[in-house]
Amino acid sequence: MKNKSKNCICSNRISLEFGPKGGLIKLIDIKTGRNYIAPLKTLPIGLSGKRVFCDDRPLFKLYLVEIDNKKALPWEICLSSIDARDLTVKKHKKRELYFYFHKIDEMDIDVECKIKIDKNPSLCNFYVSIKNKTNLAIRKIEYPVIEIPLQTGEIVDDERFLVSHCDGFLAKNPSIASWNNYKGFYPGFLPYYACLSTQLTAYYDKKSGLYVATHDGDGHVKQLGPKRAGEIVEITPIHHVPEIIGSDVVIPYATVVGTFHGDWQAAADIYKEWAKKQSWCSKKIIERRDIPKWFKKGAFFYIMSLRLHKDKEKFLSKSASLVKKWQKTISMTTIAMMLDWEKFQGWTTPDYFPPYGGTERFKHMCRDMKRLGIRPMIFGISGLKWSLRKNYRKIEYNSWEEFKRKGEKFACVQSNGKLYIHSFQPFLDSEDWNGFTAFICPATPLARSMLYDNAMKLIDLGVVLVQADQVLCGSPGPNCYSRYHGHPPGSGKWQSESIKRIFQEVKIKGKKKNPDFVWLMEEPGEFLIQELDCYHGRNNVQEMWPRLPGTIGVPLFSYLYHEYSAGYGSDTVSVSRENPSYHIYCQGESYINGNFITARCGGGFPIEPKDADPNIVKITKNIIGCIKIGREFLIFGEMLNTPPLEVPEISLVPSVSWSFAIQEGKKIKVPSVLHRSWKSQKGKIAYTLVNISKDKQDFFLDVLPYGIKEQVNLVLFKNGNKSKTVVKNVRLPYTLNLNLDPLDAVILKIE
């Protein structure tokens, strides 16, 4: 391949330069002059130890597999743009480049890459298509290869990586906070949509940021970084495709790369502009008639185990009266979120029925609850997992023979033809052993039965809310290579379409059975927003979820989609008297982030309000009072870009009385006053604030205009009580002095 002259495209915001073999070697933010791409490497060559300067990096990498007797052989062939025999480059004005790579590694494979400056001059769109006339199958494509320096900014402590894992989190620079695999969740090439709720990744510091996202509205399978690789960080999207011999590949969506200025919210603002045009944002919560009216008014989730009570099965007949006490205390419609309802033990699937306590006792319990105005909820149907063997609470379970008769032919098959069997060890040392699990392919009738049929059975038993558990962000499970399930081999859009089809059927048929029915999923996922009524979120847990030291939870999904997708707060908020300060913080985060409020006691042991920690009960009541006043914001509203608040920090020790308490014992610092800004569907603006500390807080809030030009009044609602106009006839921005007592929750409306 002959060296080419420099190939650049640019706007007045960004400039991209590509090397002689097509690799991305510079991406410059014009405003700051910062180049986000790592310098090219000097590589050791041969046994002599001599070092040779590498004059380019790949623009893409292709991973191909050989198929023998309809099975993929257990190795991958990796080729890259550098392996092309010839490269042709065409340029259109200053804003478009076309790279044509011919005969990759002398094989009959040609690749076309189109790179075009977006209408937003801070962004650039990357497209790729591949002509494959070999007897190999393409498995995945890394494109565009984006390698940034380990330290990009001047102050490493300021650097953050935004990762769309579940609700979203920020990871510190890996040079100061290790990105080693910690209990299975870490920044790396994570799959969308098995762990990632959106397709957005970003890096930023106080100076500027790098935006990397795939703008795909159709649910194609992919992986997104960041991932540390020595002295660089890779933020290269990986696009997965069905593995078909000699098949051409066209990635039908753009990978969008560009720069921004601000924190994670600024990156999310770019993504939001695209995301709101996708089908999953076709209707907002306030517009959707399929979501029950009672649910739109707000609800309180009380979480309890049916098994962990001294009365054992007899507790089912008493549970309604217990939950009623909470409903009376909180003064809001209450959902009885019931764990450990399954025939054997919690999370043992799919052999659920008859439920714990027996069919009649369970139905009677649901009738009692509904008679008292309580909505019974099941947590939850454990996705598409089949429990093969486990030891749970010292009880042995083995369903291998049943699986061989009824499940094996529908299970996910690896590329070597063997079943995909997963051994899931507990997160902490425990006598419980979670044993072996098989995964059922989402394209099979059994997958439909495990979700749809079981949901219908629960509705017939009197359950009002059903959650698809362990389907994180809509995960379909592992890739499947079965020849008998009616789908292409490997991964592909067929996976997301299969899950979506089942979810649609559950929602539609469930609401025909009971118009009050609510269909939920563990963790949010943008592709399924319109197929769900609500999701189980965890954006209120810092440095515990996603179980990695040095991470900070952020409400990315709520920031993008709050007015389209309701979420309830974490199931880790305990009302017990152990470590109440941390759980007060968690409850405060749920409030300011617009989540439905929850409470549980420890590991799910049922507890009465009089035995709960009084401060947690107090802040929960204060928050509920504010939600009633601020429904237009906290249920139907849009979260706005909110600058940080200058208030003292407090130290907390995270703790959760169940096995996800990975960070237990490690202190974290959080603001004493939590806050967010909101916009209603009518364009009104409000701030939510809560003092989670033990001290009175006196501070200043900069009330921003958010487009408001006229004079306004600032009206304060504290703990659900009557309003108080604190300032009249002022123009924004305005600096307001506020005083909040411990556990105060307030809404400040701009009127």
Side-chain angles (χ1 to χ4, degrees), residues 702-715:
D702 291 327
V703 184
L704 302 179
Y706 292 111
I708 298 173
K709 297 180 180 179
E710 63 272 15
Q711 288 187 333
V712 296
N713 298 331
L714 303 182
V715 182

Side-chain angles (χ1 to χ4, degrees), residues 297-367:
K297 293 179 180 179
F300 168 68
F301 288 68
Y302 179 69
I303 306 163
M304 63 181 180
S305 168
L306 295 183
R307 275 185 163 89
L308 300 182
H309 194 276
K310 62 182 180 180
D311 292 332
K312 297 184 179 180
E313 292 186 1
K314 293 180 181 178
F315 171 65
L316 272 70
S317 62
K318 303 176 181 179
S319 60
S321 59
L322 168 65
V323 180
K324 183 63 179 179
K325 292 177 182 178
W326 278 100
Q327 182 165 265
K328 186 176 180 181
T329 299
I330 299 302
S331 298
M332 178 173 264
T333 297
T334 298
I335 294 165
M337 180 174 159
M338 298 176 286
L339 294 77
D340 282 333
W341 63 276
E342 298 93 330
K343 170 184 172 181
F344 173 67
Q345 287 284 359
W347 297 281
T348 302
T349 175
D351 188 15
Y352 299 122
F353 300 101
Y356 178 69
T359 299
E360 290 306 314
R361 181 177 280 162
F362 190 92
K363 289 173 71 173
H364 194 273
M365 173 189 67
C366 291
R367 285 197 298 268

Side-chain angles (χ1 to χ4, degrees), residues 114-145:
K114 176 184 175 182
I115 301 132
K116 181 180 179 181
I117 299 292
D118 190 74
K119 289 185 292 184
N120 178 342
S122 295
L123 305 176
C124 186
N125 299 323
F126 287 75
Y127 300 91
V128 62
S129 60
I130 304 161
K131 291 184 177 180
N132 172 27
K133 296 181 181 179
T134 71
N135 61 352
L136 302 173
I138 298 171
R139 172 172 284 174
K140 58 188 178 184
I141 306 105
E142 293 186 14
Y143 175 78
V145 173

Side-chain angles (χ1 to χ4, degrees), residues 471-723:
V471 193
L472 298 182
C473 307
S475 170
N479 298 344
C480 182
Y481 293 83
S482 172
R483 288 178 269 169
Y484 308 107
H485 295 168
H487 60 72
S491 62
K493 193 171 68 167
W494 66 267
Q495 293 172 292
S496 59
E497 290 175 339
S498 297
I499 288 287
K500 187 174 185 177
R501 195 159 44 243
I502 298 172
F503 272 47
Q504 284 177 336
E505 190 174 9
V506 172
K507 186 189 77 168
I508 293 169
K509 297 293 178 62
K511 293 177 186 297
K512 284 185 178 179
K513 278 181 172 286
N514 181 0
D516 282 344
F517 172 63
V518 171
W519 177 226
L520 311 93
M521 178 178 74
E522 183 177 17
E523 297 298 347
E526 63 185 7
F527 190 67
L528 297 171
I529 285 176
Q530 298 296 319
E531 280 61 56
L532 292 160
D533 298 303
C534 186
Y535 68 87
H536 173 190
R538 291 185 174 95
N539 64 29
N540 59 353
V541 185
Q542 292 220 27
E543 299 217 15
M544 187 279 287
W545 181 269
R547 313 168 190 146
L548 180 76
T551 61
I552 302 169
V554 292
L556 172 62
F557 194 84
S558 290
Y559 187 85
L560 293 170
Y561 297 121
H562 184 271
E563 68 268 43
Y564 299 93
S565 185
Y568 72 89
S570 175
D571 51 344
T572 57
V573 177
S574 175
V575 294
S576 68
R577 297 174 187 265
E578 295 182 15
N579 197 10
S581 297
Y582 176 67
H583 297 289
I584 287 170
Y585 154 73
C586 290
Q587 202 72 300
E589 283 279 2
S590 287
Y591 165 56
I592 65 157
N593 292 330
N595 293 152
F596 285 55
I597 301 302
T598 67
R600 70 182 284 164
C601 180
F605 295 88
I607 185 174
E608 293 189 13
K610 65 180 179 62
D611 298 320
D613 182 89
N615 288 324
I616 295 178
V617 173
K618 180 178 179 180
I619 196 170
T620 301
K621 291 173 67 175
N622 290 346
I623 286 170
I624 293 293
C626 288
I627 291 174
K628 291 178 180 179
I629 290 170
R631 285 191 178 100
E632 61 182 315
F633 304 101
L634 292 168
I635 296 179
F636 304 118
E638 176 186 2
M639 188 184 291
L640 299 176
N641 192 316
T642 310
L645 195 63
E646 291 188 12
V647 293
E649 291 186 324
I650 59 175
S651 293
L652 302 173
V653 179
S655 68
V656 188
S657 52
W658 64 327
S659 60
F660 286 174
I662 302 305
Q663 297 300 314
E664 190 161 358
K666 182 178 181 291
K667 284 188 177 182
I668 62 172
K669 289 185 177 181
V670 299
S672 55
V673 177
L674 310 175
H675 81 305
R676 294 262 179 241
S677 52
W678 294 87
K679 182 170 72 173
S680 74
Q681 295 302 310
K682 294 182 179 180
K684 294 182 179 180
I685 305 297
Y687 285 81
T688 53
L689 303 99
V690 58
N691 179 5
I692 62 168
S693 74
K694 297 178 181 178
D695 302 313
K696 186 173 184 177
Q697 298 296 335
D698 186 334
F699 59 94
F700 293 96
L701 172 69
D702 291 327
V703 184
L704 302 179
Y706 292 111
I708 298 173
K709 297 180 180 179
E710 63 272 15
Q711 288 187 333
V712 296
N713 298 331
L714 303 182
V715 182
L716 191 71
F717 298 82
K718 183 179 291 187
N719 303 326
N721 297 324
K722 292 182 178 180
S723 64

Side-chain angles (χ1 to χ4, degrees), residues 384 440-456 498 501-502 505-506 509:
L384 301 180
I440 303 304
C441 174
T444 64
L446 181 56
R448 176 189 178 276
S449 176
M450 290 174 71
L451 291 170
Y452 174 80
D453 290 349
N454 288 323
M456 297 304 111
S498 297
R501 195 159 44 243
I502 298 172
E505 190 174 9
V506 172
K509 297 293 178 62

